[in-house]
Amino acid sequence: MSRPIDTTHDPNLRSWVESANHKDTDFPIQNLPFGVFRPRSSAEPSRIGVAIGDQILDLSLCCQLGLLQELPEQLQAACAAPNLNQLMAMGREATSMLRRHLSQMLRSQEQIPPSADEILVPMSEAELLLPAHIRDYTDFYASIFHATNVGKLFRPDNPLLPNYKYVPIAYHGRASSIVPSDTAIKRPKGQIKKPEAPAPSFQPTQMLDYELEVGFLIGAGNELGLPIPIDYAEEHVFGLCLVNDWSARDIQAWEYQPLGPFLAKSFATTISPWVVTMEALAPFRCPAFERAEGDPLPLPYLSSSDNAKFGAIAITLEVLLCSVQMRTARMEPFLLSRGSFQQMYWTVAQMLTHHSSNGCNLSPGDLLASGTVSGTEKTSQGCLLEMTQRGVQPVKLPTGEIRSFLLDGDEVILRGYCEKDGYARIGFGECRGVVLSAG
Ligand code: CA
């Protein structure tokens, strides 16, 4: 697996888009994540854009104006498509070529195109949509700390099931209810059985939670019946985004056995709009999780020296909350937790390889999510279920309000970024959602 670090990662690169040169922007010229947008409050067709500073480079218009004409025709056509699926299907080589071209075009040494005003759309004036048509969604459970903490709450005597260290555990999620950031989330109703009650009742969830996750969108797919070997796994990943896997814990507790999560999860999943490519993440690769003494090694099909050396990705992840009272008082969102994607027990390559190991086919735009990213400390736990010990130890907000689970009006904000000495900081932008009443 090659993850070349080239001139597109040079920390000294500057862009003629001024806002891309600010030191704390998520979208410097070294990032160049892809998304899909349309001008806010318009009915215009969706188009592909690249985030650069606080602007969006409109790839569709770049195509029309001939700014991408040095690229192969098929790649130009993919840039003018209404979503990223076509570009994803072309595989990593095409994405890399496009990245190099865009990096060159946006550099400060280059002449600013006369059409600069047209091809840039301020992000604040755009509606950010789902990046791809997502046909399938699978949610993993790749943090051993999350699996152990949650296991203790649901099964105190048997927290980590014996398959965990062998199998990257997952369930098949619902693709139809994946929504872009800034979509309001209606509190779901469902069957809830209180421990003391003889039977369940149907009511709004009282234990609404978020889950901080990283998603990866599939690039080139595989044919049905043809598993993807681990050393080729990343050739099939287009890029990463943030995922909030909203969860109704009381519905989940009653329904999850024996077949796993269903309606407790399928009411909504929010993803961040910008897909950070595997190319952009190359400088932030690091060794896979170091298994404890006595842990079994992954089976050979989930094992490779490349994966052990570079399989993980160092992404810092944050969850923030803003209540109605905080918004009214114009307070900043409150940081609930900060964790690292580096600490996952299973890597992206292992999850993808396992997914296809029975011959299951993955398609461009499919979403695979990591599962809740949790660390060893309370301050690095990626959901309220863990942080509050199923509501027993509520968290306190700066207003003095407390939260065991989410209340109506709460806004959950996920953020992610990569930092490393000698490289430009790159970020994922935000994944936001406000909770609405069940109505
Ligand atoms: Ca999840």
Side-chain angles (χ1 to χ4, degrees):
M1 200 40 250
S2 79
R3 301 176 191 87
I5 292 180
D6 56 29
T7 56
T8 66
H9 301 97
D10 179 349
N12 299 315
L13 287 185
R14 294 287 177 273
S15 173
W16 48 263
V17 181
E18 258 319 305
S19 58
N21 304 324
H22 294 174
K23 72 171 179 12
D24 45 7
T25 180
D26 275 350
F27 308 119
I29 190 169
Q30 292 84 356
N31 192 350
L32 304 177
F34 294 93
V36 167
F37 75 102
R38 71 159 73 94
R40 200 176 279 281
S41 315
S42 82
E44 290 182 28
S46 63
R47 46 199 196 245
I48 296 174
V50 172
I52 178 83
D54 59 9
Q55 305 287 311
I56 302 172
L57 179 71
D58 181 338
L59 284 199
S60 182
L61 202 52
C62 286
C63 258
Q64 278 179 37
L65 296 171
L67 296 170
L68 306 180
Q69 65 189 6
E70 290 161 34
L71 298 172
E73 264 175 41
Q74 197 193 351
L75 184 50
Q76 290 184 53
C79 291
N83 60 38
L84 288 168
N85 293 71
Q86 248 177 280
L87 179 60
M88 290 165 157
M90 292 181 71
R92 291 282 300 277
E93 211 174 303
T95 320
S96 299
M97 187 190 289
L98 180 56
R99 173 183 167 84
R100 286 194 298 274
H101 185 84
L102 296 173
S103 170
Q104 190 68 48
M105 192 177 132
L106 290 164
R107 280 175 207 183
S108 51
Q109 305 90 311
E110 291 296 306
Q111 210 172 6
I112 302 178
S115 52
D117 276 356
E118 280 177 80
I119 56 175
L120 290 179
V121 177
M123 218 178 274
S124 57
E125 291 172 19
E127 180 187 358
L128 298 168
L129 307 166
L130 288 179
H133 172 56
I134 301 172
R135 286 195 352 190
D136 256 314
Y137 162 43
T138 303
D139 195 16
F140 283 84
Y141 198 52
S143 161
I144 194 168
F145 305 116
H146 174 69
T148 307
N149 290 337
V150 171
K152 272 184 200 156
L153 294 167
F154 282 85
R155 296 176 306 272
D157 50 331
N158 189 17
L160 198 66
L161 295 170
N163 57 3
Y164 190 85
K165 292 174 181 174
Y166 293 94
V167 181
I169 300 290
Y171 70 95
H172 195 178
R174 183 79 196 162
S176 66
S177 52
I178 296 173
V179 293
S181 182
D182 275 327
T183 306
I185 304 300
K186 191 170 164 183
R187 179 179 296 274
K189 296 177 184 171
Q191 279 200 28
I192 292 165
K193 189 192 162 301
K194 300 235 163 73
E196 66 281 6
S201 62
F202 186 79
Q203 60 180 90
T205 174
Q206 301 301 304
M207 297 172 88
L208 184 61
D209 201 355
Y210 58 81
E211 286 190 332
L212 165 67
E213 306 196 12
V214 171
F216 44 112
L217 288 143
I218 299 300
N222 62 309
E223 258 178 65
L224 183 63
L226 287 183
I228 299 168
I230 187 154
D231 277 337
Y232 294 90
E234 288 188 14
E235 294 292 340
H236 295 265
V237 182
F238 177 78
L240 272 54
C241 64
L242 305 174
V243 176
N244 182 346
D245 177 27
W246 302 92
S247 300
R249 301 302 184 187
D250 38 12
I251 299 173
Q252 185 179 356
W254 174 236
E255 76 172 5
Y256 90 107
Q257 285 181 320
L259 286 185
F262 179 33
L263 303 182
K265 304 273 193 179
S266 62
F267 58 94
T269 305
T270 307
I271 67 172
S272 59
W274 296 111
V275 188
V276 177
T277 60
M278 295 305 276
E279 286 75 14
L281 292 164
F284 309 101
R285 305 308 301 257
C286 49
F289 187 89
E290 197 175 327
R291 294 187 167 213
E293 272 265 315
D295 271 12
L297 291 173
L299 291 182
Y301 79 99
L302 292 176
S303 200
S304 81
S305 64
D306 179 75
N307 181 65
K309 278 188 223 146
F310 304 108
I313 311 171
I315 307 170
T316 303
L317 297 161
E318 296 177 347
V319 184
L320 300 99
L321 192 142
C322 198
S323 68
V324 174
Q325 203 178 318
M326 288 170 70
R327 279 201 295 284
T328 310
R330 295 178 183 278
M331 294 167 77
E332 288 293 309
F334 175 66
L335 181 72
L336 285 176
S337 70
R338 180 182 286 131
S340 173
F341 190 55
Q342 192 178 344
Q343 289 190 321
M344 302 304 268
Y345 198 79
W346 297 104
T347 64
V348 165
Q350 286 172 321
M351 289 185 254
L352 185 143
T353 299
H354 182 66
H355 202 312
S356 75
S357 63
N358 64 347
C360 174
N361 49 335
L362 302 171
S363 304
D366 282 1
L367 177 69
L368 277 56
S370 64
T372 307
V373 181
S374 285
T376 49
E377 308 298 319
K378 185 167 173 164
T379 52
S380 59
Q381 293 177 342
C383 63
L384 286 173
L385 176 72
E386 282 172 75
M387 283 186 81
T388 69
Q389 292 288 297
R390 212 178 189 172
V392 175
Q393 298 168 13
V395 292
K396 200 169 174 185
L397 304 181
T399 45
E401 298 171 277
I402 58 163
R403 286 292 181 278
S404 295
F405 290 98
L406 298 170
L407 296 188
D408 294 347
D410 284 352
E411 182 170 32
V412 178
I413 303 156
L414 310 183
R415 292 179 185 157
Y417 53 90
C418 302
E419 284 177 326
K420 188 178 173 183
D421 280 350
Y423 291 95
R425 172 195 183 280
I426 63 169
F428 283 73
E430 292 184 330
C431 177
R432 305 174 82 109
V434 174
V435 177
L436 299 182
S437 76

